[in-house]
Amino acid sequence: MNELVGKPLDRVDGRLKVTGAATYSAEYYPGNLAYGVIIESAIPKGRLKNLDTSVAEKAPGVLKIMTSQNSMSLHFPAGSDPGNGKYAEKDLLPLQSERIFYGGQAIAVVIAETFEQAEHAAMLIKADYDKDKPVFSLEKNIDQAYKPKQGLGGSEVQIKRGDADNALQSAAVTIEETYTTPVYHHNAMEPHATIAEWKGDELMMYDATQSVMGSKNLMANMLGVKPEKVRLISLYIGGGFGSKGFSWPNTVLTAMAAKLVGRPVKLVLSRQQMFTNAGRRTQTIQKISLGTDNAGKLNAIKHATTSETSFVDEFVEPAGIATAMLYSSPNADISHSLVRLNKGTPCPTRAPGEAPGTFAIEAAMDELAYKLKMDPVELRLLNYAETEEQKNKPFSSKNLKECYRQGADAIGWKQRNPQPGSMQEGNYLIGYGMATATYPANRSASTAKAILFADGHAEILCGTQDIGTGTYTIMTQIAADAFALPMEKVKVKLGDSSYPKGANSGGSQVSASVGPAIRAAALGAVNKLIKMAIADSGSPLHGHKEEDIVAANGRLYVAKTNSGESYEQLLSRNGGKVEALATTNVSTRQQEANPAAKSGAEEEAEKESKTNAVVQDDEKTDRKPYAFHSFGAQFVKLRVDKQLGTVHIDKIVSIMDIGKVLNLKTAKNQIMGGIIFGIGMALMEGTGYDPNDGRVVTRDLAQYLVPVHADMPEFDIRFIDKPDPYISPIGARGIGEIGITGITAAINNAIYHATGKRVRDLPVTADKLI
Amino acid sequence: MQPFKFIRAQDSHAAITAALTNNAKFIAGGTNMIDLMKLNIEKPTQVIDINGLKLDKIEIFSNGTIRIGALVKNSDLAYHPTIIKSYPVLSEALLSGASAQLRNMATVGGNLLQRTRCPYFYDTTYPCNKRAPGSGCSALNGYNRNNAVLGTSDKCIATHPSDMCVALAALGAVIHVQSDSGVREIPFNEFHLLPGETPQFETTLKHGELIIAVDIPAIAYGARSHYLKVRDRASYEFALSSAAVALDIKNGRILTARVALGGIGTKPWRSLAAEKVLMGAVNNEQSYRTAAEAALSGAKPYQHNAFKIELAKRTLVRALATVGGMS
Ligand SMILES: Cc1cc2nc3c(=O)[nH]c(=O)nc-3n(C[C@H](O)[C@H](O)[C@H](O)COP(=O)(O)OP(=O)(O)OC[C@H]3O[C@@H](n4cnc5c(N)ncnc54)[C@H](O)[C@@H]3O)c2cc1C
Ligand code: SF4
């Protein structure tokens, strides 16, 4: 049965959100709540010599000023997997020493009766430093670059097949260009926010996180308490984009502050602090070399990325990863280098790697097409990867050719004059551009609990979270179909670490990972119900065969005769409820990289899953032979003002092959959101740093530009909507990140087509076009 | 934020008296003041809410002068039928600024006094002569893409960010201010100051003086006017460069012109040099370009903002061409 899945239903939490009734992490008020404010280092490197808190301590309402002198000591975190808890800066636990590694590093926390009093006291603190000479420019320190051994979660980041250098030398046509992208800050609407309350040795936390399970485990780990003593809730999250995937100092500092004052403490980062204390996407310098024969068939691909990391942890932006599998080529050489800088540690940002990486490779492919005098779509078709050549595996499902075809039709690709700078309208030059989108399809283990109640409603409990993407809604659709109940009878509960462990919200994996677990749990509960009816002598289904009984509209009945009874009737005679646990222990990744959860499901759930036919069926599928990826085609039409250099995007067509669409409305919304990120990257976004001390200067949303409504083009977003036969019984791959891939290149390529000017340094602002 | 006392003034007299105390500040829409207070840039100990002063009227006198009360909201002014019809340049300038929500709060008086958007001014951990006199100018050799190229000094290169003020500069507005010693008038060009040695002083308004109104003297050809703003995104962003122009054209010749530029100057930049070039010139592209060259002749580029000089010229040329081509 598949009735609700796929429908463009409104969000189940939409009304709560627009009326302000949805409680975000900062919106709880435990009794006796105190407020914390972080004091930041004003220098990028050195040592805190003296912190004069004498005036601040006497300011009205101040309870304590927490510094390295009086803060509790922390344990170094063990793991590096966001699903189990990843602290962002493994070598720099907050307020444990006087050393300073970057501007904005936390050096104290003021705790006061009110937020305003804490803020006031914060301005009265005077810091004195021993300054060291910082290292902050990626370009100027490129000679310090080193090659990291691996990326996040042990993933490979130095990848080779064949001999690309050699192949390049004999290639008939080559392209060799360098593409650069600036630093980006995630800037979710909801700032990082935490409330911590100790009750004896138990810790209750509300924390804006992409991983309630990870954040809980990490806090237990760092604070030295047992995991079962910590409960962490994150019911609604105002966006994460990767910045809430790792845990930043604010979360543990809140727990430390609450301990210090013996009261619950709330700590919310200011917008300014979001630019220093909550991660970023690193700057990248990407050199692409492509070699083809005279017909345009690729023989060599090289993609060498240099990016930043910090002195206190290592993060690799895997910009070249997609290049390894995007096109057919016997020779490929993908490398990543890092330079350590006195800045906070970078972290995943929506499509980490693929977002800047597909800009570089897809702009380079466009340059190659023009050099070959070939249609950019044709070039891609000529080099179409029928299989995943790096791993030498077939794709589980790939319909990219259809994406190109539909996209080209919808934008009017054939009507364009391919000559750059040839299409004009008044003061404007018109340009068309396209690019390929791609993102891996990740799935990892998840557990869910399903409960059917005698009043006819059902619940799902799962320790994953909805970071604003619509997870509550699609999981309700999946659960309702499986329970054979209408949407309004199903309550999906997420965002609580006391629930069975669900996947973290990273790597676009929640739909693919949690959906099957929820479905299996719900079907498991219905199956238990059927068994209950057969065994119950009071039931009209008594003694019937399991396979003759069907569930529909909250009722069990014999298919042939229609005789049966409602869940309510059955359950009210049989103890009032039925529960089922299911763990789907499936991974599409085989020790590849991604911010994703490992197994770790509860024993009880695993045991029960052994008798759950749905789980068994799902786990039986052999996934090792396949490569799991989503694809898409991005097409853009835009105008560039000839004299003023401003770019106006008229239309974006995005055709996505992401497996089964779970909800057309939330799906379009995710793709559109990704595209808008891409518009930002292409045209305006990028963090400004002071060239003399390397600290961020664009520290609010008036200085750090993201697209606004007036920048929006007409969107035409469509899906191939073919279920992936191998990823799960549902057939849905993830969708949160692919929208941002390819689009930046498609815009860049369209600007080139309009103007004949290739700008390889993002963003393409007016000054680069006049 | 520093704690402060707050009063709601019921009339101008009460407001002015309260303003005489040290460290007092008026607050109108609060869209700039409150941000600056939160960031510890403005630290008043006395805040005087002037929203009750009934200075929210737009009056039109028989000689054609339009008097705009200091508390008229930016959006009310922008959508006033007479402004739209007779001075589109002002309506367009207002509507190109900020966002709808901000314009609904922001007042004419507050807009005149809004402070620069130089990023260093907003971060108290950086030296900034405007915020902390004598501490140095971080933008001079720092991140200065958005800073000024006209009217700068080696003490400060911050732009005046207002759009409305650029239009008012072109229209030759007159500002009416009131103090305990009475009312005085300040011609627009004498209101804002160049940074010189003392960038902390931005206007000729004296401590405790209250802006009560802005007059726009009648300009017969005001309907042939236009504001063009070039920026990094389509809305909700300050100008990289902007131009406010009005042209009086007869038989293919420009009789009189009004020209002011934004986004590039340390104050709203009326260009008499450009106006002089245009006066009597043929109404064509070449005259516009010559005027643009004249307007930017004294421009001084810094490391990241040299492009603004050419961009400002093109902005002005386009704005002039738009008005020059009006029927
Ligand atoms: C995100 C953002 C984007 C913006 N974008 C733009 C833009 O693109 N273009 C643009 O032009 N502007 C822009 N603005 C600025 C906006 O126009 C100003 O903040 C607004 O005009 C200030 O008016 P207000 O009434 O809110 O002033 P307030 O904040 O109340 O006051 C500002 C100053 O004026 C003083 N003051 C106010 N009224 C009087 C009076 N009657 N007499 C004496 N002193 C007075 C106050 O004491 C204070 O010093 C933007 C602002 C923000 C926050
Ligand atoms: S330009 Fe002016 S406002 Fe900016 S840092 Fe220099 S002195 Fe301060």
Side-chain angles (χ1 to χ4, degrees):
Chain A
M1 174 160 358
N2 218 349
E3 290 168 344
L4 295 164
V5 164
K7 286 212 174 122
L9 300 182
D10 289 349
R11 289 176 181 237
V12 294
D13 52 355
R15 199 183 162 77
L16 286 179
K17 285 189 173 177
V18 299
T19 56
T23 41
Y24 290 80
S25 292
E27 299 179 310
Y28 294 85
Y29 299 91
N32 215 18
L33 183 63
Y35 293 79
V37 166
I38 292 178
I39 312 290
E40 298 188 339
S41 160
I43 65 157
K45 187 181 179 191
R47 184 172 277 280
L48 184 62
K49 191 157 75 181
N50 183 40
L51 200 65
D52 180 359
T53 57
S54 54
V55 183
E57 271 162 21
K58 294 192 198 87
V62 171
L63 298 168
K64 274 266 161 42
I65 295 167
M66 183 166 76
T67 66
S68 64
Q69 301 302 309
N70 62 358
S71 69
M72 67 188 280
S73 25
L74 297 173
H75 301 256
F76 277 95
S80 65
D81 168 8
N84 290 322
K86 161 81 182 115
Y87 189 68
E89 299 175 324
K90 69 175 169 52
D91 299 331
L92 178 68
L93 306 191
L95 302 190
Q96 305 291 296
S97 89
E98 315 293 338
R99 294 188 64 187
I100 292 164
F101 293 92
Y102 61 88
Q105 183 181 321
I107 55 173
V109 177
V110 181
I111 308 144
E113 293 287 347
T114 69
F115 170 70
E116 288 76 12
Q117 288 171 332
E119 284 269 299
H120 173 229
M123 70 185 267
L124 302 172
I125 291 179
K126 296 236 165 351
D128 232 343
Y129 307 93
D130 283 326
K131 293 187 195 171
D132 266 350
K133 203 171 153 2
V135 180
F136 53 79
S137 159
L138 181 61
E139 291 89 349
K140 288 186 189 148
N141 295 285
I142 210 120
D143 56 334
Q144 300 295 308
Y146 70 96
K147 289 229 162 106
K149 288 202 185 63
Q150 54 181 44
L152 192 60
S155 58
E156 274 182 65
V157 288
Q158 319 294 355
I159 299 172
K160 270 190 182 175
R161 65 174 179 269
D163 185 342
D165 283 321
N166 205 16
L168 273 171
Q169 276 173 12
S170 57
V173 180
T174 57
I175 282 277
E176 186 175 298
E177 294 295 350
T178 299
Y179 303 84
T180 52
T181 62
V183 166
Y184 303 107
H185 277 86
H186 312 75
N187 272 310
M189 281 304 287
E190 180 204 26
H192 290 55
T194 311
I195 295 171
E197 180 174 23
W198 292 89
K199 289 178 183 149
D201 62 345
E202 292 189 4
L203 176 60
M204 176 69 213
M205 295 187 86
Y206 300 91
D207 184 36
T209 174
Q210 292 174 234
S211 178
V212 286
M213 290 300 173
S215 192
K216 176 200 91 161
N217 288 338
L218 183 73
M219 287 309 113
N221 190 200
M222 291 176 81
L223 296 162
V225 295
K226 293 209 172 70
E228 55 273 22
K229 299 280 187 190
V230 183
R231 181 174 172 202
L232 191 138
I233 286 180
S234 203
L235 294 190
Y236 299 99
I237 299 144
F241 312 116
S243 72
K244 292 168 185 161
F246 294 177
S247 191
W248 298 94
N250 60 295
T251 302
V252 73
L253 282 172
T254 314
M256 292 157 74
K259 190 97 190 176
L260 187 69
V261 298
R263 289 171 60 168
V265 170
K266 177 189 300 194
L267 195 157
V268 181
L269 291 191
S270 67
R271 183 56 64 184
Q272 284 73 21
Q273 289 172 335
M274 300 273 289
F275 285 88
T276 53
N277 257 303
R280 70 178 182 288
R281 194 200 296 279
T282 161
Q283 185 183 346
T284 70
I285 302 173
Q286 303 178 57
K287 190 171 154 197
I288 305 262
S289 319
L290 302 173
T292 71
D293 63 13
N294 278 318
K297 179 76 195 72
L298 282 166
N299 192 27
I301 302 180
K302 273 185 84 171
H303 191 160
T305 303
T306 308
S307 62
E308 323 166 319
T309 192
S310 73
F311 284 98
V312 295
D313 208 332
E314 184 177 270
F315 177 76
V316 190
E317 178 86 18
I321 287 298
T323 305
M325 49 62 71
L326 202 50
Y327 296 106
S328 172
S329 168
N331 304 292
D333 182 345
I334 312 300
S335 61
H336 294 89
S337 307
L338 294 176
V339 177
R340 292 199 191 276
L341 300 179
N342 286 108
K343 295 180 177 180
T345 313
C347 73
T349 306
R350 201 171 200 173
E354 286 82 0
T358 54
F359 159 61
I361 182 66
E362 287 296 284
M365 283 296 279
D366 200 62
E367 300 208 44
L368 182 62
Y370 282 101
K371 194 162 180 185
L372 287 158
K373 300 203 168 49
M374 249 181 114
D375 184 312
V377 179
E378 290 303 319
L379 178 68
R380 285 165 174 86
L381 290 172
L382 180 69
N383 292 289
Y384 195 79
E386 296 289 353
T387 58
E388 212 285 25
E389 295 187 0
Q390 187 61 39
K391 297 199 190 89
N392 200 13
K393 289 177 180 180
F395 290 107
S396 59
S397 157
K398 180 176 178 181
N399 302 288
L400 179 56
K401 283 183 187 162
E402 179 60 14
C403 298
Y404 291 139
R405 197 191 59 71
Q406 286 192 28
D409 272 0
I411 203 83
W413 188 251
K414 293 241 166 62
Q415 285 89 62
R416 90 196 206 290
N417 179 343
Q419 184 62 34
S422 64
M423 298 179 76
Q424 294 207 19
E425 245 176 60
N427 286 320
Y428 293 108
L429 296 164
I430 312 294
Y432 288 79
M434 62 81 57
T436 310
T438 188
Y439 196 76
N442 297 316
R443 182 177 171 194
S444 64
S446 277
T447 302
K449 184 178 205 166
I451 315 172
L452 278 161
F453 292 90
D455 65 356
H457 95 283
E459 288 185 1
I460 292 286
L461 309 183
C462 179
T464 186
Q465 50 284 311
D466 183 337
I467 58 172
T469 52
T471 307
Y472 278 117
T473 308
I474 57 169
M475 293 308 157
T476 309
Q477 289 172 272
I478 290 172
D481 276 349
F483 281 127
L485 285 171
M487 288 286 279
E488 58 279 9
K489 293 270 182 185
V490 177
K491 173 99 191 129
V492 171
K493 295 181 169 176
L494 314 173
D496 186 333
S497 69
S498 68
Y499 299 156
K501 183 176 174 175
N504 64 312
S505 304
S508 295
Q509 66 170 344
V510 166
S511 304
S513 309
V514 175
I518 286 180
R519 178 174 170 273
L523 288 172
V526 173
N527 187 261
K528 284 188 180 180
L529 207 58
I530 291 173
K531 291 199 167 99
M532 182 186 280
I534 294 170
D536 178 3
S537 58
S539 169
L541 298 164
H542 179 65
H544 281 273
K545 282 200 198 118
E546 221 182 291
E547 53 272 29
D548 292 340
I549 299 173
V550 288
N553 297 321
R555 189 168 168 267
L556 296 179
Y557 61 97
V558 179
K560 274 183 232 140
T561 63
N562 200 22
S563 102
E565 65 176 330
S566 68
Y567 297 176
E568 285 105 312
Q569 288 168 318
L570 177 60
L571 280 168
S572 48
R573 289 194 312 275
N574 287 279
K577 68 175 177 181
V578 152
E579 292 188 1
L581 271 167
T583 296
T584 45
N585 208 343
V586 170
S587 168
T588 55
R589 241 185 320 263
Q590 297 113 32
Q591 30 71 30
E592 279 180 46
N594 241 295
K598 283 194 205 99
S599 156
E602 290 85 333
E603 263 171 45
E604 191 194 340
E606 284 196 351
K607 210 167 117 203
E608 184 174 336
S609 298
K610 296 222 163 64
T611 61
N612 183 319
V614 182
V615 174
Q616 291 310 307
D617 226 39
D618 189 358
E619 290 185 355
K620 206 171 63 201
T621 307
D622 185 7
R623 296 180 169 85
K624 282 207 191 67
Y626 302 100
F628 293 85
H629 284 269
S630 284
F631 292 95
Q634 311 269 28
F635 284 82
V636 173
K637 181 181 179 228
L638 52 70
R639 286 173 290 142
V640 181
D641 190 301
K642 253 192 293 186
Q643 288 89 28
L644 304 177
T646 46
V647 179
H648 312 265
I649 304 179
D650 288 326
K651 185 168 180 176
I652 291 180
V653 176
S654 185
I655 314 289
M656 290 287 157
D657 173 23
I658 47 92
K660 167 99 190 137
V661 173
L662 296 172
N663 176 325
L664 190 60
K665 207 169 173 182
T666 55
K668 277 192 181 177
N669 172 246
Q670 280 303 296
I671 297 302
M672 192 185 290
I675 291 173
I676 295 168
F677 264 58
I679 295 174
M681 285 175 68
L683 299 181
M684 65 192 76
E685 206 169 333
T687 303
Y689 285 86
D690 179 69
N692 302 307
D693 80 355
R695 291 188 296 137
V696 180
V697 291
T698 53
R699 291 184 71 173
D700 59 44
L701 292 175
Q703 310 263 10
Y704 181 90
L705 303 196
V706 296
V708 296
H709 282 288
D711 295 299
M712 291 303 104
E714 178 194 344
F715 290 98
D716 181 352
I717 296 166
R718 302 182 209 172
F719 299 94
I720 302 294
D721 202 10
K722 279 197 188 143
D724 186 315
Y726 298 108
I727 191 146
S728 78
I730 299 170
R733 300 192 294 258
I735 195 172
E737 295 170 271
I738 190 170
I740 188 177
T741 72
I743 185 64
T744 303
I747 295 168
N748 198 271
N749 298 343
I751 292 172
Y752 174 75
H753 177 237
T755 62
K757 212 175 215 178
R758 177 67 67 178
V759 183
R760 301 184 186 89
D761 177 42
L762 294 184
V764 188
T765 40
D767 48 309
K768 296 179 187 167
L769 291 174
I770 62 169
Chain B
M1 190 190 286
Q2 170 150 309
F4 55 88
K5 289 205 196 80
F6 180 80
I7 61 157
R8 275 206 177 94
Q10 297 308 329
D11 56 49
S12 307
H13 180 71
I16 289 161
T17 312
L20 288 173
T21 58
N22 264 346
N23 265 330
K25 272 280 189 187
F26 298 124
I27 192 160
T31 60
N32 195 207
M33 255 290 272
I34 290 174
D35 281 354
L36 294 171
M37 287 169 70
K38 286 205 266 188
L39 293 168
N40 299 325
I41 296 156
E42 298 277 15
K43 291 185 270 192
T45 46
Q46 166 80 70
V47 174
I48 307 149
D49 176 0
I50 56 171
N51 285 293
L53 298 193
K54 305 192 179 65
L55 299 170
D56 55 357
K57 285 177 201 57
I58 299 174
E59 296 167 87
I60 301 163
F61 298 118
S62 52
N63 65 357
T65 298
I66 301 178
R67 178 160 295 170
I68 307 157
L71 289 167
V72 170
K73 300 290 184 192
N74 284 188
S75 29
D76 289 335
L77 182 56
Y79 291 118
H80 192 278
T82 308
I83 299 295
I84 293 175
K85 192 165 135 277
S86 308
Y87 304 104
V89 63
L90 179 56
S91 177
E92 290 165 7
L94 285 158
L95 294 178
S96 77
S99 66
Q101 293 94 325
L102 284 160
R103 295 193 296 266
N104 287 343
M105 288 300 291
T107 65
V108 167
N111 197 321
L112 289 169
L113 293 175
Q114 66 169 296
R115 308 206 63 189
T116 184
R117 293 282 159 173
C118 173
Y120 297 104
F121 178 71
Y122 281 79
D123 186 339
T124 54
T125 65
Y126 277 106
C128 167
N129 287 326
K130 194 183 266 304
R131 174 173 33 76
S135 61
C137 170
S138 298
L140 204 56
N141 298 306
Y143 177 87
N144 52 31
R145 179 174 182 268
N146 294 334
N147 289 66
V149 292
L150 284 170
T152 58
S153 74
D154 63 358
K155 295 286 180 292
C156 179
I157 60 169
T159 54
H160 192 278
S162 170
D163 293 298
M164 178 193 82
C165 288
V166 181
L168 289 180
L171 295 174
V174 178
I175 297 163
H176 294 238
V177 304
Q178 191 182 348
S179 67
D180 56 347
S181 54
V183 175
R184 67 182 180 115
E185 295 181 7
I186 311 173
F188 203 85
N189 259 354
E190 292 167 23
F191 186 74
H192 294 100
L193 294 169
L194 292 174
E197 292 298 303
T198 53
Q200 69 273 27
F201 301 122
E202 295 175 347
T203 67
T204 49
L205 201 65
K206 297 194 191 103
H207 179 68
E209 269 183 330
L210 175 74
I211 299 170
I212 50 172
V214 174
D215 277 7
I216 303 177
I219 303 173
Y221 55 93
R224 299 182 62 117
S225 67
H226 176 50
Y227 187 75
L228 176 65
K229 180 174 176 181
V230 179
R231 46 185 151 173
D232 284 324
R233 63 180 166 194
S235 165
Y236 193 48
E237 171 58 343
F238 295 91
L240 288 172
S241 72
S242 70
V245 301
L247 294 177
D248 187 8
I249 302 169
K250 214 172 194 172
N251 302 326
R253 280 203 179 268
I254 299 165
L255 303 183
T256 325
R258 294 293 183 86
V259 174
L261 302 173
I264 49 145
T266 51
K267 60 182 256 184
W269 202 262
R270 171 108 180 242
S271 178
L272 298 175
E275 291 178 8
K276 206 169 136 204
V277 169
L278 291 168
M279 211 183 302
V282 184
N283 177 32
N284 66 12
E285 194 85 16
Q286 200 190 325
S287 307
Y288 308 154
R289 187 72 206 182
T290 315
E293 295 295 340
L296 273 295
S297 65
K300 182 171 178 204
Y302 296 87
Q303 196 183 349
H304 307 116
N305 71 356
F307 74 93
K308 278 190 169 186
I309 297 175
E310 179 58 23
L311 186 64
K313 289 177 190 169
R314 294 185 186 192
T315 309
L316 178 53
V317 169
R318 176 70 62 80
L320 288 167
T322 305
V323 177
M326 283 177 181
S327 49

